[in-house]
Amino acid sequence: MTLHEEIRYLQKKHNAVILAHNYQPGEVQDIADFTGDSLELARKAADIHAAVIVFCGVHFMAETAAILNPGATVLLPAADAGCPMADMITGGQLRELKAQHPTAKVLCYVNSTAEVKAESDCCVTSANSVAVAQSYPPGQEIIFVPDRNLGSFTAEKSGHTFFLCPGFCPTHARLTVAHICSAREAHPGALVLVHPECQKPVRDAADAVLSTGGMCRYVQERPENTFIIGTETGVLHRLRKENPGKTFFPLLESAVCPEMKKITLEKILWSLRDMQTIIAVPEPVSLRARRAIDAMLAIH
Ligand code: 13P
Ligand code: SF4
């Protein structure tokens, strides 16, 4: 049997669904039953009726799936695939921030641990952070963790007072305005799309600021044929596959998240064969974290 056939055989045997984030290696996206951004994957994980979910992404995503679908066994094929940004704030640090700003609501990016989600009023993703913030009345103070860049983007768009914390994505932090200037020179007329995890000067120099799922929809709606993509390069695989008549260039070829690339086809196979690594969240934390995730899903 080929690797693909073995994976399909084990998938059927265990009644498993394979989910992949848009940043996953191309061959992983291709074998997945569903590929999407963080919000789309959270919705999908909540709705899946399968015994097993193989989550091809990083730890916090598998954890979110386990919280949303406690009846399913959630497997992360690379046990050590984490998100450095998610580890930039702890539950204890968030409790200190809450004590400093007792009337503020807490919004937390899904790129966070279950413990941090459990301390939050509502989760957000890069696709819905502005809509979630706008659901609060004018004048609402908001503590936003852990990403200072998505936080400042959301603050600008919503007009609320935000208390930010210093977290950031090391991969998106590498994208600069100089990269945008050189890309515009090399590809005149191309539209520059960047992710809200980019720093403000980069966001301001781009034509649009979008989540990875937002980018996939945007390029289909636009008449332009050439796009510069300012995010982790994995999404280019999906953009090229879905839009064979259009041309996509990465803003920075080396903008690769090493954590997202830890998953391989072999690891998916071993994960299904050995039922490893199971991601589970202790019930008291899971129930409180779920309130924050459900609050998000109810808004957008
Ligand atoms: P999306 O919210 O666009 O899925 O990507 C955010 C991200 O960095 C996932 O790690
Ligand atoms: Fe975390 Fe950035 Fe990698 Fe996303 S791309 S998983 S935010 S380090």
Side-chain angles (χ1 to χ4, degrees), residues 235-249:
V235 74
L236 277 103
H237 176 78
R238 180 164 163 204
L239 290 169
R240 288 175 177 146
K241 197 165 143 182
E242 290 179 355
N243 305 277
K246 299 200 176 197
T247 307
F248 301 93
F249 297 100

Side-chain angles (χ1 to χ4, degrees), residues 21 23 38 57-61 82-86 88 109 111 147 168-173 195 197 231-232 255-260:
H21 187 266
Y23 293 159
S38 304
V58 291
H59 190 270
F60 76 81
M61 296 180 171
C83 168
M85 182 208 286
M88 288 182 188
Y109 194 15
N111 298 36
D147 185 12
F168 66 98
C169 164
T171 302
H172 287 88
H195 196 276
E197 285 177 19
T231 189
E232 210 277 351
V256 174
C257 172
E259 300 299 314
M260 282 283 179

